[in-house]
Amino acid sequence: MTRVVYVNGRYLPYADANVHVEDRGFQFADSVYEVIEIAAGGTVDATRHLDRLQRSLSELSIQEPMSRSALCNVLAQVIRRNRVTDGLVYMQVSRGTAPRDFPFTGKSLTPTLVCLARSLSVSARDARASRGIRVVTMPDIRWARCDIKTVMLLPAILAKEKALSAGADEAWLIDGQGFVTEGASSNAWIVNADDNLQTRDLSNALLPGVTRATTVDMAAATGRRIVFEPFSIEQAMAAREAFTTSASGTIMPVVAIDGKPIGSGRPGPVATSLRRTFHNFAERRSAC
Ligand code: PMP
């Protein structure tokens, strides 16, 4: 039997069930989901699952794709068309499809809705239950691996949105000890009181930025010292200059933090000079 998947208003054969490459669920993990058990042909705890779905959508300001009764109808169709008596129904709602850009406010996005259902063997699950399962323990790192450039960008998107709504352009993220880790989509730097560059040392707390690495090379080549130490928000506010590094912005002077002017309140000479010479130090090729 061909499996049938609901995708944005259509019931499609499994092989044709696609969403766009620029869907924000795919690019940013900007989406939510629910899984509901199907037992003896009916849903289990559907009200609680749909309440949670509604809450998740509301917390992220993602529009509801349709009314609850319409969604129940889609779920019933997917369950029926796949002839699922015992199994699961899965639904995912993403914020929608748009050219890749972190912010979402002010964009007219139509949420993507996908629903799938599949059968699960009751006897296999019962056999597993009669054997019992084993667990192993590990640190809860969900998600403490900011050094990996994953598409799990939902926290970064929310940070960027908050920055934009506060009239800023980027968010600097602070760890539990009050030190800046990095920007939502850039690495964070200051020019400290000793006129040295300062940026946090690499760890799981930040992305090892390519532009950061090239900036480190550039500083070494021009004899400018870099201190690889975390700096607090107070140190940043008292710094001579601050700037960010990223492939999309290269070296971007920071003129204010939380509304307080940094240095003269205008792009500083160090950041400006690094920005001017950056492309001379970066690897340049006609193509990869
Ligand atoms: N930190 C984060 C969280 C980023 O998303 C990015 C890039 N988008 C950077 C730092 C800068 O990395 P790169 O210089 O390689 O662009």
Side-chain angles (χ1 to χ4, degrees):
M1 190 191 80
T2 318
R3 283 182 67 192
V4 175
V5 179
Y6 175 91
V7 185
N8 290 331
R10 298 201 294 161
Y11 295 90
L12 298 168
Y14 189 79
D16 301 331
N18 303 318
V19 295
H20 197 271
V21 290
E22 290 221 283
D23 190 277
R24 290 178 64 101
F26 180 65
Q27 287 189 331
F28 294 127
D30 192 4
S31 64
V32 300
Y33 78 104
E34 281 294 332
V35 175
I36 303 180
E37 187 196 359
I38 314 298
T43 58
V44 179
D45 276 338
T47 302
R48 285 199 161 121
H49 283 287
L50 296 177
D51 284 350
R52 187 170 62 188
L53 180 71
Q54 203 168 13
R55 180 180 183 277
S56 302
L57 289 169
S58 150
E59 287 295 306
L60 297 178
S61 309
I62 298 178
Q63 213 185 301
E64 288 184 29
M66 56 180 63
S67 68
R68 185 174 292 212
S69 62
L71 179 58
C72 285
N73 185 43
V74 169
L75 297 179
Q77 287 285 330
V78 170
I79 294 163
R80 189 182 63 75
R81 290 179 190 228
N82 290 284
R83 300 201 191 118
V84 178
T85 311
D86 294 287
L88 300 171
V89 63
Y90 171 91
M91 72 219 73
Q92 182 174 345
V93 184
S94 86
R95 196 181 301 277
T97 295
R100 189 181 182 281
D101 190 20
F102 280 39
F104 56 81
T105 300
K107 293 184 184 143
S108 63
L109 285 155
T110 307
T112 298
L113 172 63
V114 166
C115 299
L116 303 88
R118 73 178 164 116
S119 298
L120 287 181
S121 153
V122 176
S123 57
R125 279 184 294 163
D126 285 347
R128 193 171 153 84
S130 66
R131 286 192 306 272
I133 60 161
R134 296 158 194 273
V135 300
V136 293
T137 62
M138 61 194 74
D140 187 347
I141 61 157
R142 300 175 295 166
W143 179 244
R145 292 299 309 276
C146 302
D147 54 317
I148 305 173
K149 198 165 171 66
T150 78
V151 296
M152 204 154 59
L153 289 167
L154 187 52
I157 281 171
L158 299 180
K160 190 81 99 181
E161 276 288 323
K162 220 168 154 185
L164 294 184
S165 67
D169 304 280
E170 173 64 310
W172 273 13
L173 308 172
I174 315 298
D175 69 14
Q177 283 73 50
F179 293 105
V180 175
T181 52
E182 61 177 334
S185 62
S186 58
N187 291 116
W189 298 70
I190 56 170
V191 179
N192 67 20
D194 302 327
D195 212 26
N196 293 321
L197 297 182
Q198 186 168 344
T199 195
R200 194 176 175 118
D201 35 3
L202 294 181
S203 71
N204 64 310
L206 64 154
L207 188 77
V210 167
T211 318
R212 176 189 182 280
T214 301
T215 305
V216 169
D217 288 352
M218 188 163 43
T222 55
R224 187 171 281 279
R225 224 185 126 221
I226 305 183
V227 182
F228 292 99
E229 273 173 26
F231 52 83
S232 66
I233 201 66
E234 293 77 22
Q235 278 174 288
M237 283 184 169
R240 293 182 175 199
E241 294 183 34
F243 61 93
T244 65
T245 55
S246 70
S248 53
T250 68
I251 291 160
M252 196 55 74
V254 170
V255 295
I257 300 175
D258 290 339
K260 186 185 171 298
I262 302 306
S264 65
R266 284 202 298 271
V270 176
T272 302
S273 132
L274 288 169
R275 181 177 176 82
R276 205 178 301 120
T277 45
F278 177 76
H279 285 142
N280 302 337
F281 281 89
E283 182 191 29
R284 304 292 301 276
R285 295 165 69 154
S286 56
C288 284

